[in-house]
Amino acid sequence: MYPEYMVAPIREDLTSVGFEQLMTPEEVESVLNQKEGTVLVAINSVCGCAASKARPALKMAVASSETKPNKLVTVFAGMEGDAVAKAREFMLPYPPSSPSIALFKDGELVHMIERHHIEGNDLTRIVDSLQGAFEDYCAK
């Protein structure tokens, strides 16, 4: 675990634009067991690709899309281990990766962006992938 003073600004990077920070497995289950609507889940982390690509792509995609998920949530790898583990259960069969981004529709995983998709792409492609998923799966 990291000191809270170190991760507080990293958390705020997403919560300041509307993401809800989930801290417990029960909070994760409550959100991801919903069978109606869309939920975007960001597994946040302290790594460089989260800072330079994942979080900026999330913010840009949400800010510039007319069609958006109903709910935006985040869990923090390296901090709330049980909450992250519960979120990753919902993301199976994808292996654990941090950062990662998942879109759920009506309780089903419909779009996944793993760490290797984040590290190996430029920011524009990640934003395009998210916006394409919003267009395909989120109600207008």
Side-chain angles (χ1 to χ4, degrees), residues 7 30 41 53 76 79 111 119 129 135:
V7 300
S30 175
V41 180
K53 294 182 181 181
F76 205 111
M79 292 301 289
H111 189 75
E119 289 178 310
S129 176
E135 286 295 317

Side-chain angles (χ1 to χ4, degrees), residues 11-12 21 31 33 36-38 41 50 54 59 77 95-96 100 106 109 117 123 126 128-130 133 135 137:
R11 290 184 199 278
E12 189 177 333
Q21 178 71 53
V31 170
N33 278 329
E36 290 185 18
T38 51
V41 180
K59 294 187 299 186
S100 59
D106 300 334
L109 178 63
H117 297 124
L123 187 59
I126 301 166
D128 289 347
S129 176
L130 287 167
E135 286 295 317
Y137 298 109

Side-chain angles (χ1 to χ4, degrees), residues 22-44:
L22 304 180
M23 305 294 278
T24 68
E26 295 78 18
E27 290 174 342
V28 172
E29 283 184 327
S30 175
V31 170
L32 294 182
N33 278 329
Q34 295 177 13
K35 299 302 180 198
E36 290 185 18
T38 51
V39 180
L40 184 65
V41 180
I43 296 188
N44 200 354

Side-chain angles (χ1 to χ4, degrees), residues 14 17 19 40 42 53-69 72 101 103 111 113 123-135 138:
L14 292 179
V17 295
F19 282 78
L40 184 65
K53 294 182 181 181
R55 290 191 303 272
L58 284 159
K59 294 187 299 186
M60 289 172 66
V62 170
S64 62
S65 296
E66 289 184 28
T67 306
K68 301 174 188 183
L72 308 170
I101 304 165
L103 180 65
H111 189 75
I113 300 175
L123 187 59
T124 304
R125 287 187 183 192
I126 301 166
V127 171
D128 289 347
S129 176
L130 287 167
Q131 289 179 327
F134 297 169
E135 286 295 317
C138 299

Side-chain angles (χ1 to χ4, degrees), residues 97-110:
S97 71
S98 304
S100 59
I101 304 165
L103 180 65
F104 293 83
K105 180 176 181 164
D106 300 334
E108 299 293 323
L109 178 63
V110 293

